[in-house]
Amino acid sequence: MSDTMATDSKSSDKHSLNGMLNRLKSAVAPLRDTLRDLHAKYQPMMDGRVADYIPELAEADPNWFAIVAVTADGSVYEFGDYNQLFTIQSVSKPFVFGLALEDHGRENVLKKVGVEPTGEAFNAIVLDEASNRPFNPMVNAGAIATADLIKGKDYPDRVTRLTQMFSRYCGRQVNIDNSVFMSERVTGHRNRAIGHLMLNFGMVGEKIEESLELYFQQCSILVNCHDLAVMGATLANAGVNPITGERAIEHQYVKDLLSVMNSCGMYDYAGEWAYRIGIPAKSGVGGGIVAVVPGKVGIATFSPLLDPKGNSFRGIKVFQELSERFGLHCFESGFTGESFDDQLKHVRRT
Ligand code: DON
């Protein structure tokens, strides 16, 4: 057995042993009760609507609801429908931005997409008048320009690079929901309009139709709420998946993703989210929200009932409570409430 195989098997043994220890630890930590109570509190809430502008998304069950937290050292706390698969949609955008940064470097990427919040809806047909760039990689325009930057020798190779990246973050092989992909493709006229507007200004290349397909593919990747929390924990752990030990992104770019998630991740709710909750986050019309407390934890919610801005109703409620209760706001100071760390400490149950 070669050295690398020896080290790989040693490190995977280390990770599976850690995994087991973490499962034992998390089994008796107060956070388990906290998430269970939050899940019970918001399960009955049926505000909002399931997205239907992409017809296949309307198949989602409005009762689906999950909350998962994965710590930067790999402890997992999960409640509700955390194994229920759904399409990642816009939650994919910061991670694809990360791959574009690795492919081209920060300054080259910023020539094609800005980092300014728009205050507009996610699918607004607007570009920055001064630079003709899409405002940021979290809105559809910026995400399509980002997809256009993904390298590959051909289209299948570009799709493979995307799915391999998401598999590193999730710690398992991810697949694409072809029915949602086809549904996006057939109804994607607005995204095509945005794509061709950017072609007109040279913000994307001649292969824009191929890049639009790639964008529809990335949005149609199937994940569950557990996966999203592991993806968040990977960013909280400086780019290394805490469950598998595999690096998913160069550590130098983690701050780029967290910065645009913090300023633009929740679209025309981003300002209020940053003010009230203050944790870098990203939502998607499939009902997922992932948020990251750097160095500590990745937290995800899944509930397909959306508010008029395309963000999950139940998800926002859960994050509001968690942030207020444990002082998770990134600018929190002099917090005297319960510490999140105490929530992770195992307590002897009588
Ligand atoms: O392009 C679209 O409209 C969808 N594939 C993604 C939009 C989305 O997830 C917006 N998020 N709240």
Side-chain angles (χ1 to χ4, degrees):
M1 179 189 282
S2 70
D3 297 357
T4 43
M5 281 171 72
T7 27
D8 287 357
S9 66
K10 263 211 222 77
S11 75
S12 61
D13 295 350
K14 184 165 78 52
H15 273 288
S16 50
L17 181 60
N18 280 351
M20 196 169 54
L21 287 173
N22 286 330
R23 274 194 293 283
L24 288 172
K25 253 195 322 187
S26 65
V28 289
L31 184 60
R32 180 160 299 285
D33 304 339
T34 303
L35 297 186
R36 187 197 51 228
D37 299 347
L38 277 175
H39 188 271
K41 179 176 180 181
Y42 290 111
Q43 176 72 70
M45 187 181 144
M46 297 302 284
D47 299 49
R49 295 184 54 219
V50 171
D52 58 7
Y53 73 99
I54 300 167
E56 201 55 33
L57 294 182
E59 303 301 313
D61 178 341
N63 295 298
W64 284 339
F65 178 36
I67 309 173
V68 181
V70 176
T71 61
D73 68 355
S75 295
V76 179
Y77 307 82
E78 45 203 8
F79 278 89
D81 306 304
Y82 53 83
N83 275 328
Q84 175 60 51
L85 289 172
F86 58 97
T87 51
I88 194 172
Q89 298 299 332
S90 288
V91 179
S92 65
K93 295 171 176 173
F95 303 95
V96 178
F97 177 53
L99 188 60
L101 289 167
E102 290 182 328
D103 279 357
H104 299 274
R106 193 172 283 123
E107 295 319 316
N108 289 326
V109 170
L110 292 179
K111 288 183 187 133
K112 299 295 185 179
V113 56
V115 287
E116 284 302 328
T118 64
E120 305 247 8
F122 65 84
N123 55 2
I125 305 182
V126 286
L127 299 177
D128 179 342
E129 279 171 16
S131 64
N132 292 323
R133 291 179 305 173
F135 279 94
N136 67 71
M138 302 298 106
V139 290
N140 287 12
I144 293 164
T146 306
D148 190 62
L149 291 169
I150 301 305
K151 287 184 177 174
K153 64 180 186 317
D154 53 23
Y155 173 59
D157 185 41
R158 296 171 79 197
V159 175
T160 303
R161 293 193 65 235
L162 267 183
T163 51
Q164 286 176 342
M165 177 210 40
F166 281 106
S167 299
R168 286 193 294 275
Y169 274 105
C170 294
R172 68 173 183 86
Q173 179 57 45
V174 298
N175 299 309
I176 290 171
D177 183 322
N178 205 43
S179 50
V180 172
F181 168 62
M182 296 309 287
S183 191
E184 284 244 22
R185 211 157 169 261
V186 171
T187 58
H189 311 303
R190 195 180 178 93
N191 284 327
R192 285 198 179 81
I194 293 170
H196 285 270
L197 178 66
M198 293 191 292
L199 177 60
N200 177 65
F201 289 111
M203 284 303 128
V204 295
E206 293 300 331
K207 286 192 180 171
I208 182 58
E209 281 299 332
E210 183 182 296
S211 295
L212 281 160
E213 297 281 300
L214 194 63
Y215 169 72
F216 297 143
Q217 293 264 13
Q218 78 178 56
C219 290
S220 307
I221 286 174
L222 282 167
V223 293
N224 57 38
C225 198
H226 173 93
D227 295 327
L228 288 192
V230 176
M231 294 170 74
T234 300
L235 294 181
N237 190 36
V240 174
N241 181 320
I243 310 282
T244 63
E246 187 176 11
R247 178 164 287 287
I249 183 171
E250 292 170 31
H251 69 81
Q252 60 167 314
Y253 294 127
V254 171
K255 69 175 182 298
D256 300 66
L257 277 61
L258 296 179
S259 304
V260 288
M261 288 166 74
N262 198 45
S263 57
C264 315
M266 304 299 282
Y267 309 117
D268 42 348
Y269 185 69
E272 188 144 358
W273 176 280
Y275 183 79
R276 291 183 183 282
I277 298 171
I279 311 172
K282 185 72 201 81
S283 64
V285 286
I289 298 178
V290 63
V292 180
V293 181
K296 253 194 214 321
V297 67
I299 304 171
T301 58
F302 164 54
S303 168
L305 287 168
L306 308 179
D307 67 18
K309 296 185 177 184
N311 300 315
S312 159
F313 245 110
R314 290 186 180 115
I316 288 180
K317 290 288 181 192
V318 168
F319 280 108
Q320 202 148 11
E321 277 218 39
L322 286 173
S323 179
E324 283 164 10
R325 186 161 161 195
F326 302 115
L328 298 179
H329 195 295
C330 56
F331 302 131
E332 189 67 57
S333 58
F335 183 71
T336 54
E338 284 177 74
S339 87
F340 192 73
D341 293 346
D342 291 350
Q343 283 282 299
L344 303 176
K345 290 204 187 87
H346 66 269
V347 288
R348 197 167 302 295
R349 292 189 182 281
T350 50

